[in-house]
Amino acid sequence: MELNTLLPSIIADNALHAKWLNTLSLMENTGARKISASEDPLTVTYIILKHAAEEHRHAFYLKKQIEKTGPAACATYAPEFLLAPGYSKYYLNQLDIQVSRYLKQALKLSGKDLRFAAYLLVTYAIEVRADELYPVYQQALDDAGSKVNVKSIILEEEGHLEEMISQLKQFSPQWAQHAQIAVDYETRLFNDWVNALAGEMIPA
Ligand SMILES: [Fe+2]
Ligand SMILES: [Fe+2]
């Protein structure tokens, strides 16, 4: 199942669309909190602060877009307000676990160095995904004539991918090889997530 085949049915149904926006908001918030949690209080940089601030804004902005889908509000991230709640919550944590395990085994990293390297690789993989997902979603919104729009997120996500690449280049000359491993883990988790979304949409 491909996401672009699911999106028109999600957007066409206001209740589903509200939950979809809330689910993206949850995932942005999870990412934002992970970046903040991995910050070193002493050596945190301009780029990391900017990135955390923008991911927190994405979570808020998506939550605010829910108003445009009608009266169906999604007050919190409780499971009844989400699509595929289990997979949506599991995705980022699982990616973090898999990437951290790889870094421990392949590069023998631990402590602070492990936290920073995991931030770099996990965030890189997510930015690659974001740069694919949001334009596909925006196209589906345009096709449906929806009032919801995510153009400001697309602009910022493009900047994030460039920033992650420049940080990765400083981290290791073999950065591309490590990054590909993170992308492979992410692809499997993302496909599971999309299948879980599709499963929820089959009418009971
Ligand atoms: Fe984001
Ligand atoms: Fe981002």
Side-chain angles (χ1 to χ4, degrees):
M1 182 56 76
E2 296 276 337
L3 192 60
N4 56 3
T5 60
L6 288 178
L7 281 169
S9 331
I10 293 175
I11 294 167
D13 180 319
N14 282 334
L16 276 180
H17 197 191
K19 284 188 188 183
W20 161 258
L21 282 163
N22 200 41
T23 304
L24 289 181
S25 173
L26 161 92
M27 293 167 99
E28 290 281 2
N29 184 247
T30 309
R33 285 188 300 112
K34 271 206 181 296
I35 294 172
S36 298
S38 73
E39 280 169 17
D40 182 279
L42 197 73
T43 57
V44 63
T45 60
Y46 173 93
I47 280 189
I48 297 173
L49 290 174
K50 171 175 169 289
H51 197 165
E54 289 177 354
E55 300 302 2
H56 279 291
R57 189 191 78 82
H58 297 170
F60 165 72
Y61 178 84
L62 290 161
K63 193 82 166 178
K64 191 153 171 57
Q65 294 297 298
I66 295 172
E67 291 166 12
K68 297 184 183 168
T69 64
C74 294
T76 67
Y77 295 141
E80 63 266 34
F81 300 133
L82 296 168
L83 293 179
Y87 282 91
S88 302
K89 289 183 177 168
Y90 172 85
Y91 161 84
L92 194 56
N93 289 330
Q94 197 56 28
L95 182 59
D96 202 19
I97 290 169
Q98 291 174 353
V99 166
S100 297
R101 195 183 297 140
Y102 165 73
L103 287 168
K104 264 188 231 169
Q105 285 167 359
L107 300 183
K108 310 283 174 243
L109 295 180
S110 62
K112 248 176 150 178
D113 294 340
L114 174 63
R115 265 200 305 283
F116 184 65
Y119 152 74
L120 291 177
L121 292 188
V122 168
T123 311
Y124 171 82
I126 290 167
E127 296 303 341
V128 170
R129 178 63 59 196
D131 277 12
E132 188 183 305
L133 183 145
Y134 282 111
V136 167
Y137 179 34
Q138 183 62 55
Q139 186 60 54
L141 289 168
D142 291 343
D143 293 347
S146 173
K147 284 186 224 142
V148 173
N149 96 76
V150 292
K151 288 176 191 161
S152 68
I153 297 184
I154 292 174
L155 265 180
E156 287 178 350
E157 299 295 15
E158 284 168 0
H160 294 168
L161 187 58
E162 285 164 26
E163 288 161 8
M164 292 322 295
I165 292 171
S166 83
Q167 291 185 94
L168 276 162
K169 283 182 177 163
Q170 288 171 29
F171 165 71
S172 163
Q174 281 88 41
W175 74 271
Q177 189 187 319
H178 302 310
Q180 187 55 47
I181 290 188
V183 167
D184 291 345
Y185 286 139
E186 191 282 338
T187 301
R188 265 173 256 144
L189 290 164
F190 179 78
N191 290 338
D192 289 347
W193 179 70
V194 172
N195 286 333
L197 289 177
E200 283 206 0
M201 298 197 43
I202 296 164

